């Protein structure tokens, strides 16, 4: 019998824990006597003549603790099957045909696609075109409805908490208000979890529109009570009541969220007369070593993906529910964002800790 060969790729923004998935999938393959081919730069590696490397014990040794991905990745490229929020575009037929040729030439019998909502939309199209695809969810934003948790999120939250710890000491020394803008796109999970873990006083989320007057009142209330600083965490997708998210156009014609931190800082400074400083955490949240939780999730997701290939559960995606790795159809997973609900237990817990949401 010929050796089974499986392909794997990661697409979209990188995320701590990706290398743990690659390493785990490679070891699970080895155990079955299979071979794993890793495509470089996301789906682009599938373009003719094919750009890939063998993922085996040697090439994946010592990578679990490394951030990023040894395969490289791209956000955009020839395989974009999603444009903007909810709009679906199709990957062009000639691009699919190239991927088919690469896939066949390498004699692959399965393709694991690690990605967020956009990449999983492409994965779904490839599956519909007859590719034996298995998906692995990946995003620091933790905003996929179909899985309770994605690797990368915990590392991003740890980065936010660490930043708050550092900002806290300098803010307290200077009796300042500190505004920390964090990632998360349209979901406030990173801000909520990071803010809670880092002892924020105010957390502004996309899901709970805020008023500057309320935020300023909270700063002044703390001031009257003798607090030496106020820490405000603002999610990049947060917006003022009846306002819009702050976004800016990029050269490629897309819109990127960000910039709300500066505005919050200015508005709060003007209303309180306090000295305010703003820090945009940015891609620090995406870089660096994954936390132990993300390494473990990565290991479990990689092994589960190979199991799904072995069971020929094509068109399915690894999903983490109740501490178990399960599977769901990719078709049920895409275009369903999980956002913070204003009355969820985490928000209630934060309110019980006197954290203000500026609402
Ligand atoms: O989806 C992950 C994420 O890091 C978001 O939190 C953020 O808005 C975006 O990607 C940044 O993307 P880029 O790396 O393209 O700037």
């Amino acid at each position: 019998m010929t050796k089974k060969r499986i392909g794997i790729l990661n697409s979209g923004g990188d995320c701590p824990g990706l290398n743990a998935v690659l390493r785990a999938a490679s070891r699970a393959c080895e155990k079955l006597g299979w071979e794993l081919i890793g495509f470089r730069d996301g789906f682009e590696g599938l373009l003719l003549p094919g750009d890939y490397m063998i993922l085996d014990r040697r090439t994946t040794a010592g990578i679990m603790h490394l951030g990023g991905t040894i395969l490289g990745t791209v956000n955009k490229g020839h395989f974009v099957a999603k444009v903007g929020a909810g709009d679906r575009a199709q990957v062009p037929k000639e691009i699919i045909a190239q991927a088919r040729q690469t896939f066949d030439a390498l004699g692959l019998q399965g393709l694991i696609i690690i990605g967020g909502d956009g990449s999983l939309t492409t994965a779904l199209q490839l599956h519909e075109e007859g590719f034996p695809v298995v998906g692995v969810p990946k995003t620091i934003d933790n905003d996929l409805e179909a899985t309770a948790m994605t690797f990368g999120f915990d590392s991003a939250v740890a980065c936010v908490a660490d930043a708050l710890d550092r900002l806290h000491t300098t803010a307290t020394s200077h009796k300042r208000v500190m505004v920390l803008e964090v990632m998360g796109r349209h979901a406030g999970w990173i801000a909520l979890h990071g803010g809670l873990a880092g002892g924020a006083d105010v957390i502004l989320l996309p899901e709970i529109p805020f008023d500057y007057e309320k935020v300023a009142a909270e700063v002044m209330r703390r001031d009257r009570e003798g607090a030496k600083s106020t820490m405000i965490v603002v999610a990049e997708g947060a917006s003022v009541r009846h306002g819009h998210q702050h976004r800016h156009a990029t050269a490629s014609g897309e819109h990127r969220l960000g910039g709300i931190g500066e505005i919050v800082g200015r508005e709060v400074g003007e209303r309180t007369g306090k000295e305010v400083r703003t820090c945009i955490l940015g891609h620090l949240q995406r870089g660096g070593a994954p936390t132990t939780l993300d390494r473990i999730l990565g290991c479990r997701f990689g092994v589960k993906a190979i199991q799904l290939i072995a069971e020929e559960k094509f068109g399915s995606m690894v999903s983490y529910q109740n501490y178990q790795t399960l599977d769901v159809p990719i078709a049920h997973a895409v275009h369903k964002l999980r956002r913070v609900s204003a009355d969820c237990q985490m928000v209630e817990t934060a309110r019980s800790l006197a954290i203000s949401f500026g609402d």
Side-chain angles (χ1 to χ4, degrees):
M1 222 176 75
T2 53
K3 210 174 190 180
K4 205 165 186 161
R5 264 187 151 190
I6 307 300
I8 191 166
L9 62 85
N10 48 243
S11 168
D14 70 342
C15 182
L18 273 171
N19 286 326
V21 179
L22 300 176
R23 176 181 173 276
S26 141
R27 287 183 181 221
C29 269
E30 188 185 273
K31 190 110 198 272
L32 294 168
W34 299 357
E35 197 174 31
L36 189 65
I37 303 276
F39 289 99
R40 292 200 178 89
D41 297 333
F43 291 100
E44 301 295 285
L46 284 168
L47 293 174
L48 288 170
D51 188 6
Y52 59 89
M53 64 187 278
I54 305 287
L55 294 179
D56 57 16
R57 194 167 276 264
R58 189 181 58 80
T59 55
T60 62
I63 65 168
M64 178 145 64
H65 64 288
L66 301 179
T69 162
I70 59 165
L71 291 179
T73 188
V74 288
N75 264 343
K76 300 288 164 214
H78 294 83
F79 287 80
V80 178
K82 189 185 164 194
V83 200
D87 304 334
R88 188 168 172 187
Q90 295 286 305
V91 179
K93 290 280 175 214
E94 63 274 17
I95 298 297
I96 300 273
Q98 284 198 40
R100 165 68 64 197
Q101 275 191 54
T102 306
F103 189 86
D104 290 345
L106 288 168
L108 299 180
Q109 284 147 296
L111 179 63
I112 298 170
I113 295 171
I114 315 169
D117 196 53
S119 310
L120 290 169
T121 304
T122 301
L124 181 61
Q125 191 187 339
L126 290 183
H127 170 65
E128 287 164 356
E129 301 276 355
F131 286 78
V133 161
V134 159
V136 174
K138 169 236 64 166
T139 162
I140 63 161
D141 304 334
N142 208 26
D143 59 354
L144 296 177
E145 182 66 53
T147 182
M149 181 95 122
T150 48
F151 59 86
F153 172 64
D154 188 58
S155 304
V157 167
C159 178
V160 173
D162 178 58
L164 283 171
D165 288 350
R166 289 166 189 271
L167 292 172
H168 200 257
T169 57
T170 169
T172 303
S173 305
H174 288 267
K175 299 186 182 60
R176 283 174 174 161
V177 174
M178 278 286 173
V179 178
L180 178 67
E181 180 184 306
V182 304
M183 284 184 168
R185 264 192 235 271
H186 305 291
W189 296 110
I190 295 178
L192 180 57
H193 284 241
L196 197 64
D201 305 300
V202 178
I203 302 177
L204 305 176
L205 305 177
E207 296 87 347
I208 306 180
F210 62 91
D211 291 318
Y212 287 118
E213 282 67 30
K214 300 262 172 63
V215 179
E218 178 60 13
V219 170
M220 295 318 289
R221 185 192 68 75
R222 290 178 49 76
D223 203 48
R224 282 194 301 278
E225 287 186 353
K228 289 193 174 145
S229 62
T230 295
M231 310 300 293
I232 302 176
V233 172
V234 54
E236 62 181 358
S239 65
V240 72
R241 197 187 302 276
H242 308 305
H244 300 289
Q245 283 180 325
H246 196 78
R247 48 179 68 197
H248 47 96
T250 64
S252 64
E254 294 169 39
H255 286 95
R256 202 171 286 154
L257 290 172
I260 181 72
E262 283 294 346
I263 300 171
V264 169
R266 194 184 61 224
E267 297 285 337
V268 169
E270 280 171 8
R271 283 169 172 81
T272 60
K274 302 277 301 173
E275 222 187 335
V276 184
R277 293 291 185 273
T278 299
C279 172
I280 299 173
L281 200 48
H283 288 79
L284 289 171
Q285 294 158 96
R286 285 242 301 265
T291 59
T292 49
L293 175 60
D294 284 339
R295 295 177 200 198
I296 292 165
L297 278 178
C299 290
R300 296 182 69 186
F301 282 22
V303 167
K304 183 68 183 179
I306 296 299
Q307 245 175 43
L308 293 177
I309 297 265
E311 291 165 12
E312 301 195 348
K313 280 199 167 176
F314 301 123
S316 66
M317 179 192 99
V318 176
S319 162
Y320 191 67
Q321 307 288 345
N322 296 322
Y323 301 99
Q324 301 297 311
T325 48
L326 307 172
D327 61 278
V328 292
I330 300 176
H332 294 180
V334 293
H335 302 319
K336 285 187 191 136
L337 289 192
R338 189 168 60 88
R339 304 181 73 211
V340 176
S341 122
D343 57 1
C344 72
Q345 202 182 44
M346 273 289 284
V347 170
E348 274 175 22
T349 302
R351 288 196 198 275
S352 301
L353 293 170
I355 294 173
S356 163
F357 289 88
D359 58 337

